[in-house]
Amino acid sequence: MPTFSRSMLWMTLLAVTPCAFASTQWQQTEQEARGQTVWFNAWGGDPAVNRYLDWASSEVKRDYGVTLKIVRLADAADAVKRIQTEAKAGRTKGGSVDLLWVNGENFRTLKEANLLQTGWAQQLPNWRYVDLQKPVREDFSIPTDGAESPWGSAQLTFIARREQTPQPPQTPQELLTFATAHPGTVTYPRPPDFTATAFLEQLLLTLTQQPDALKQPPDQATFANVTAPLWSYLDKLHPQLWRKGSDFPASPARMDDMLANGTLHLSLTFNPAHASQKVARGELPKDSYSFGFAQGMIGNVHFVAIPANARSAAGAKVVANFLLSPQAQQHKADPAVWGDPTVLDIQKLPHPWPAAQAETAPPVLAEPHAAWVNALEQEWLRRYGTH
């Protein structure tokens, strides 16, 4: 039997202890969570999302003894207001929200007011599978500081039909050329529709000479210069659009209908699985496909967060860890279930990922700072909103 010197023993303990300590800590979290009720506030506007959450509820109840109650919201901002109201009333414990589906402006509002627990997300055991190439440690350029656990990802995606568009445009300039060659068949939703604003941000990211400026809130002194290439581009594009840019569809859903009936050659979505879902349901023609610009398409990650005054924080962490598990992520990514793209790196997983869900997507371009949303929408409305 080999003998160990005291220094070798200490080195061995140092190598092992952090992992063992983390494992023990997590076991304690799971023990504390058992029997807890977690009130999960989530957007409830999609039947597929609701069915997925019902499935997740049954899974965590069976495996962890956690009762997951879903509060289906019309808008995440409603939960944010409730958390703010509780804070103003001095309710520092026993809050009504344990877990919140959140990102973007709502996350920034809560984080800046110190209304979220921080430092926990990267301690989850399933964090080891997360794709660190995705913007999982920042949310609209705001560092998450471990206050959010990634849940799913999304990316601005074009939809076309093979019969109409065998070779899709790969750059903004090619899109302009395409629109000019096929007048009236290209458009985008009317801002402030979320997908419309993402389209404006996509163009700005790839056209501006000052991309670093987009990582900070807009500066009134430089806004005109930073955004000038965007407005110049849209001034050229709009006359080639559907109804010559005098009107815009109210939503991406309307664009899907117009693509299906042949009015448009392109539609837009923020879900890369959207086209395959619609084809499977017979809501888009069978030759419909997704594509993006070669340089990359704007994308983001949606997260779950735990309010600082959560009543069942341990249970919320267990649920967040389950939502990050390969099993839960794979189920969620299935177009027949939800079709929400994974935040995991499929190369890190212990078991193969289904080939049908492993399609290659364009590189993800991180979104500008959250404050750009309102600034771009207001300027767009000033320039084009009265047409």
Side-chain angles (χ1 to χ4, degrees):
M1 184 174 178
T3 56
F4 287 90
S5 69
R6 183 172 296 181
S7 61
M8 287 171 66
L9 183 59
W10 272 112
M11 288 172 67
T12 304
L13 285 171
L14 285 170
V16 171
T17 301
C19 253
F21 179 66
S23 176
T24 302
Q25 269 197 322
W26 185 250
Q27 287 173 359
Q28 290 172 350
T29 300
E30 287 188 336
Q31 287 170 5
E32 187 182 342
R34 193 164 289 277
Q36 287 188 344
T37 296
V38 172
W39 293 91
F40 183 11
N41 285 235
W43 178 66
D46 187 326
V49 174
N50 292 335
R51 285 193 299 271
Y52 177 80
L53 289 175
D54 290 342
W55 170 83
S57 298
S58 64
E59 294 289 304
V60 297
K61 178 68 173 177
R62 184 195 66 210
D63 294 344
Y64 303 102
V66 173
T67 300
L68 185 60
K69 297 282 192 180
I70 311 298
V71 180
R72 305 188 197 280
L73 305 171
D75 191 326
D78 296 340
V80 172
K81 288 172 189 168
R82 198 164 355 114
I83 294 166
Q84 290 172 317
T85 300
E86 290 177 357
K88 286 175 186 170
R91 190 171 171 182
T92 58
K93 293 180 180 178
S96 62
V97 180
D98 295 305
L99 195 64
L100 175 64
W101 182 8
V102 68
N103 74 344
E105 285 280 0
N106 291 320
F107 169 68
R108 182 174 67 150
T109 298
L110 292 171
K111 184 169 183 282
E112 288 181 351
N114 296 316
L115 295 177
L116 294 175
Q117 295 192 17
T118 60
W120 60 271
Q122 294 175 12
Q123 307 305 315
L124 299 177
N126 286 329
W127 177 271
R128 66 187 183 275
Y129 299 128
V130 170
D131 184 353
L132 302 181
Q133 299 304 308
K134 292 182 183 288
V136 293
R137 289 178 285 205
E138 63 178 39
D139 188 346
F140 286 71
S141 293
I142 307 289
T144 61
D145 295 328
E148 291 184 303
S149 174
W151 185 20
S153 62
Q155 189 172 27
L156 187 66
T157 304
F158 291 103
I159 304 173
R161 295 178 57 187
R162 295 279 176 203
E163 184 181 331
Q164 293 176 330
T165 312
Q167 294 295 326
Q170 292 289 295
T171 65
Q173 194 55 48
E174 286 185 17
L175 178 63
L176 178 58
T177 302
F178 181 87
T180 304
H182 305 90
T185 68
V186 174
T187 189
Y188 59 94
R190 180 183 177 84
D193 173 85
F194 173 82
T195 307
T197 306
F199 179 66
L200 298 181
E201 291 180 317
Q202 169 73 37
L203 292 173
L204 180 58
L205 269 172
T206 48
L207 293 170
T208 186
Q209 301 299 307
Q210 302 174 58
D212 285 349
L214 305 181
K215 296 176 183 177
Q216 304 296 328
D219 182 340
Q220 193 171 356
T222 60
F223 181 81
N225 195 32
V226 171
T227 60
L230 170 64
W231 313 123
S232 174
Y233 178 89
L234 292 179
D235 288 346
K236 298 188 190 82
L237 180 67
H238 280 191
Q240 311 303 326
L241 297 183
W242 175 69
R243 294 187 177 173
K244 298 185 177 180
S246 63
D247 192 14
F248 293 84
S251 67
R254 177 71 184 126
M255 289 181 64
D256 285 349
D257 293 340
M258 295 164 75
L259 177 69
N261 67 27
T263 303
L264 293 182
H265 284 192
L266 301 178
S267 187
L268 272 173
T269 177
F270 214 76
N271 180 355
H274 181 77
S276 59
Q277 289 174 311
K278 285 267 189 171
V279 169
R281 293 198 294 260
E283 296 171 10
L284 278 178
K286 289 184 178 179
D287 66 338
S288 301
Y289 69 98
S290 302
F291 74 94
F293 291 155
Q295 184 182 344
M297 295 294 285
I298 195 168
N300 69 26
V301 169
H302 55 90
F303 301 83
V304 293
I306 303 174
N309 72 345
R311 184 189 303 271
S312 301
K317 290 174 186 176
V318 166
V319 172
N321 189 60
F322 170 76
L323 295 176
L324 261 188
S325 68
Q327 172 205 5
Q329 287 280 306
Q330 187 172 310
H331 191 63
K332 180 169 64 70
D334 184 346
V337 176
W338 176 356
D340 187 52
T342 185
V343 289
L344 304 184
D345 181 344
I346 61 175
Q347 305 302 321
K348 294 180 179 178
L349 303 185
H351 304 292
W353 194 263
Q357 294 181 22
E359 297 173 2
T360 55
V364 176
L365 304 179
E367 288 184 300
H369 188 281
W372 281 90
V373 169
N374 186 59
L376 288 175
E377 288 172 352
Q378 293 305 313
E379 183 64 11
W380 188 96
L381 290 169
R382 188 183 74 79
R383 288 172 177 264
Y384 309 113
T386 56
H387 291 186

